Amino acid sequence: MKTLVLLLLFGFLSACSTIPEHSKELVYSNNIPSAWTIEGRLSVMRNKKTDIVGFEFSQQGGYYQLTFSGSLGFGQRQIKQTEQGLFIDDKPTLLTLEQWMKLELGWYFPVEALEDIVFKGNNNKRQGWQIST
């Protein structure tokens, strides 16, 4: 019985080793869709403190919607750029996105760079941000 169990275990383990690994290389395109969405996380280090923020960014027809959420999804903020201007949590503001982020969060992530990062693979360091996908 012990031999049978060992043979089955060995057979299972050797079968696992033959599974091919998929390449981690991503394929990029110069064709950018008119509507797209990306979700991710930002890790911000400033003044020896680290903030981790979840985000969802949607762009359609030249306008965008950006949602930030804190740890475990708490503290959600919604930013919309529309034909009527910038709205924070459905309230209009005269601030730019950069001004609002620096005022409210203490940092600014260049969302205008997301299109190049996502579709063109341009992961260069941007305005002090190290980008990894």
Side-chain angles (χ1 to χ4, degrees):
M1 183 67 174
K2 189 187 242 185
T3 305
L4 180 60
V5 171
L6 286 174
L7 284 173
L8 287 172
L9 180 62
F10 178 73
F12 176 74
L13 292 176
S14 65
C16 291
S17 67
T18 61
I19 297 173
E21 286 188 32
H22 294 283
S23 172
K24 292 184 178 183
E25 186 175 321
L26 300 173
V27 178
Y28 296 101
S29 169
N30 285 329
N31 297 328
I32 299 171
S34 60
W36 56 277
T37 300
I38 184 170
E39 292 181 40
R41 297 188 68 68
L42 298 172
S43 176
V44 182
M45 294 178 65
R46 59 185 173 88
N47 301 330
K48 297 182 182 181
K49 182 182 172 200
T50 301
D51 293 330
I52 298 176
V53 178
F55 75 93
E56 181 176 325
F57 181 84
S58 299
Q59 185 164 334
Q60 182 174 5
Y63 299 108
Y64 63 83
Q65 179 172 316
L66 175 63
T67 304
F68 286 119
S69 58
S71 299
L72 304 173
F74 296 116
Q76 203 170 64
R77 302 297 301 262
Q78 187 177 65
I79 299 107
K80 289 182 187 176
Q81 175 64 48
T82 70
E83 193 174 278
Q84 291 79 33
L86 189 67
F87 290 79
I88 310 294
D89 296 328
D90 295 323
K91 296 175 185 155
T93 181
L94 296 176
L95 299 173
T96 66
L97 177 61
E98 183 173 357
Q99 291 169 335
W100 179 83
M101 288 179 74
K102 285 181 177 177
L103 182 68
E104 289 292 316
L105 305 173
W107 49 266
Y108 172 68
F109 177 72
V111 295
E112 65 277 357
L114 284 174
E115 192 171 274
D116 286 343
I117 295 166
V118 172
F119 296 104
K120 297 179 182 177
N122 189 354
N123 289 348
N124 297 339
K125 194 172 187 176
R126 302 226 182 201
Q127 298 177 8
W129 287 86
Q130 179 63 44
I131 312 235
S132 62
T133 55

